[in-house]
Amino acid sequence: MHRTESSFRRHPGSGSLRRFSFRRKPTRESISEPTSTWSFNSVDHEWQLLREDGAQIQLVYNKSEHIPLKDFAAEIRGGKDIKEFILSALVLLDVQDTSVWDLLEIILRRIKHTSIRNNESSSGLSSPVLNAATTMINNTVSASGGGHRETLNIEEIKKVVFVNDRVRILAKTLQATTTTESNWTYDQSWLAIMCTSPSILKRHVAIARLKNPCNLGRNCQEARFIVFILSPMKEKGTKNFLETGRTFATIFADIELRAKLLKATTQEEFISIIDKHTDNLMEQQRTQTRNSLPDASDDINYNPDMLKVKTYYCPILYDMYMDLTRRLPHYLSDFYDIFNTHRGSQKVLSTAVFLYFACLLPSIAFGVLNSQVTNDQISVPKAVASQCLGGLFFSIFSGQPLIVVMTTAPLTIYVKVIFVLCTWYRLDFRDTYALVGLWNSFFLILFSFFGVSKIMKWSTRSTEEIFALFVSIAFLVDASTHVYKNFICNYSTPACKHYDEYWKLRRTNKNVTFNFTDDTLDEPCARDSSLLYILLTLGTVWLGTFLYKFKQTPYLTSAKRELLTDYALPVSVIIMSLIGSVVFKQINLQSFSVDHEHLFVMVRLKSVTFKQIIATGFLGFSLSLLMFLDQNIAGAIVNSPANKLKKGKAFHIDLFVIAILNGWLSLFGLTWMHGALPLSPLHVKALADTEERVEQGHIQSVIVKVRETRLTVLLSHILIGMSLFMRDILKQIPMPVLDGLFLYLALTSLDGNQFFERVTLFFTEQAAYPPNHYIRQVPQRKIHLFTLLQLLQLIILCFLGFSPILYCKLVLPIWLVAMVAFRYGILPKIIAKKYLRALDQRL
């Protein structure tokens, strides 16, 4: 015992003396150290740390996350959940219990009894049987689904609500906070408690109003309202425990509602107050949304550019002037500002190499197709030269340099139509080709001068994604056709059948002589070539997509993963080309011919007649519609708000540049080109910094910023021009690698295509639906109906594009225009405008 010293001090203001004492500070050696004991719990298979008084020390992980308030005007589950649950919810008024454990005991037992009564009353049980059933606490109650029964285990659910038996801390809660400029505080008058259980098959909601404020923890010391949500483990994203809790938490966050609920005397009045408050909230949010988000078919007065357009009197060249005003101040910075960004130099190099292969190899493949349909009048070297000149010209003079120009499958189809017509009517192909191209340039110049690109405001996201998916299907069809033709020529030949019959007889040991004809010996069986063809095609796709997705794996470092992702396409092409041309050089693979003819021979136009000029005018106008839509759709996808571009768009300048470019290409018999899908969006992704965001278990890749530059397209097409001097090396690239490239571009372009994502929902479990905006805002049946209508449009588009009927291909541009008319003329009569706005909005 330490010694105590005493002294006396006179108290101020009095004459008495006060005695006080103090204890000498104990020394360090005299302090007893606390003790703790480690022990292993064989039941839970974990180590425990026990203090000397028997208390157990445990770790608790807490995480706070911002959850937005429910949008009752847009999110369909908001008002629907309130209407569905408020009439059947368990409402307890003026509860005396102040323990959360006891309160949950009451709520769970009432939910259990209510479920049993509802089930047995629906089964037609008599009153005595019903009373007997309610007095017993069964462990099974029927769910709303036919025949299935859910097990409501009260003790198990109570354990799930808390962290564990010893730590009585609520595991999942939802609570409001009040934020000011200086600080923030918790709203401690109410609390939403949520939990999931594998033993139930439907959601349950209970609301309790406590008679006296209850202390439920540090952040909720004066709770008057408790909202309890019990949900199954597997539930659709918009109907899970968090979304249901967010619905009720949104209305309980309003202090006016809670004040009214405190005055309610009966359960009917309590429910009526919530019901009316929800109706008022829905109408208020709907009115504000209607005023702030007009439909795309309405007059667009909210766009400042459109306001400026309405102030001028002469429409000619004004839109081009507006594009120049937007883009010209950024022209020089397009060449150098990328080097001021993080990893700018590396992005320039990797994207330029990516574009080199992504533009060169398709131009070779389309050159092969054009060479086959035009009897080598448009050869592979001409296609490569056209790609080089077009890319350089567009990268220097265009308004939006992120658009990649290239010849495409629809243009190849159009060239075939022109050649067939020239064969029918015995016309010179080069002259007719040049006339169609000049007419096309003339109409495109008119479109750009008169600002016709403004009508693209009517082109919605769904229409653009239909066309983007059509281009991907065209790539898939081209690659599959080449594989099929290779198998027909090498695998299923008469020579192979003769060899099969011969070896079949040899295996059965029959002494039968088989006579080989001279034709059979001249045509060897080359099944190894077909097998290697399909292996190289699929191998290019697999290796490219594997490296493209490598950034999402945990291997290597983040910088190395991103490097492999940037060079996914060139690495896969080079490796598969080496495997096909070096490792299996004994196997004869199909390749393309590369001649050394003079590339730039101008068309003379000497034998052109007046009738031919007029007839080609109609073909040129149809071609101009195709180029107009393709170019503007590519520009609209590149300038999507999701890409977060800063320097503005220039539709009319780009269209004018495309017109001048194709006019010159037509005079030399080179391939036409325009803004290409899917290369243009892939170019944006290659220059973008992205981050992965996880929402309710679903990973979404979001673009943070995009480096807008002209250097990537410029450098890549300089390399393509240099490739013209390496024609013998280009011949070493096997055709299956080109087909694999087509498949790679088709597959990688599906990322971010909302139409394709909604198609996959037909085969997806509802619990695995992503928490997208349209899933929240549009009923499921309307989503599937809209997707089916899009599929119908895509089927018609594919029929016109791939039909063997010649004139059907000429209708393809007209159908693209008709799809826009269908979107605004017919579709709003089938699906409400608010749902169309949610499905078509650009994010």
Side-chain angles (χ1 to χ4, degrees), residues 15 32-33 39 70 108 115 174 190 233 243 282 366 372 375 444 466 520 531 546 582 598 611 639 666 754:
S32 60
E33 296 181 357
S39 64
K70 200 82 167 186
L108 291 174
S115 299
L174 200 56
W190 66 276
M233 292 289 290
E243 290 300 317
M282 292 176 62
F366 286 124
Q372 293 172 353
N375 291 333
L444 290 180
I466 290 174
T520 305
L531 292 176
F546 173 76
V582 177
H598 190 61
K611 291 183 179 179
N639 290 283
S666 302
Q754 183 177 300

Side-chain angles (χ1 to χ4, degrees), residues 350-360 404 683 712-713 716 720:
S350 62
T351 306
V353 174
F354 161 75
L355 287 180
Y356 170 72
F357 286 93
C359 294
L360 174 64
V404 180
H683 182 212
T712 51
V713 177
S716 62
I720 291 175

Side-chain angles (χ1 to χ4, degrees), residues 150-217:
E150 66 178 1
T151 303
L152 192 62
N153 193 321
I154 295 179
E155 295 301 324
E156 176 185 327
I157 295 174
K158 288 173 66 176
K159 292 180 180 179
V160 175
V161 172
F162 297 96
V163 174
N164 56 34
D165 294 336
R166 290 178 174 269
V167 182
R168 297 291 178 84
I169 299 177
L170 296 170
K172 298 183 181 70
T173 61
L174 200 56
Q175 195 173 1
T177 59
T178 303
T179 307
T180 62
E181 295 181 357
S182 58
N183 60 357
W184 59 275
T185 57
Y186 282 97
D187 188 346
Q188 306 198 22
S189 62
W190 66 276
L191 185 67
I193 304 173
M194 304 168 294
C195 75
T196 58
S197 175
S199 62
I200 63 171
L201 300 177
K202 66 176 183 178
R203 291 175 292 168
H204 300 277
V205 176
I207 304 174
R209 187 184 70 184
L210 306 181
K211 186 175 183 59
N212 299 308
C214 177
N215 187 349
L216 300 181

Side-chain angles (χ1 to χ4, degrees), residues 468-469 472 678 685 745-754 756-757:
L469 198 57
S472 299
K685 292 180 181 179
L745 294 177
L747 293 177
T748 53
S749 65
L750 297 179
D751 284 347
N753 191 310
Q754 183 177 300
F756 179 76
E757 292 175 357

Side-chain angles (χ1 to χ4, degrees), residues 1 27 41 47 113 134 314 318 321 358 362 373 377 399 432 443 446 476 493-494 527 543 645 681 689 713 786:
M1 184 176 178
T27 61
N41 189 339
W47 284 94
H113 281 277
T134 55
C314 181
Y318 186 83
Y321 168 76
V373 301
Q377 296 192 55
T432 306
F443 288 117
L446 291 181
L476 178 63
T493 60
R527 285 177 172 169
L543 184 59
L645 301 185
D689 286 338
V713 177
F786 183 77

Side-chain angles (χ1 to χ4, degrees), residues 422-440:
C422 291
T423 304
W424 286 356
Y425 297 102
R426 297 180 180 179
L427 301 174
D428 184 76
F429 171 74
R430 283 173 57 85
D431 291 347
T432 306
Y433 183 85
L435 286 175
V436 173
L438 292 175
W439 275 113
N440 166 65

Side-chain angles (χ1 to χ4, degrees), residues 478-489:
D478 287 338
S480 303
T481 302
H482 294 163
V483 174
Y484 173 76
K485 289 182 178 179
N486 184 273
F487 267 75
I488 292 297
C489 296

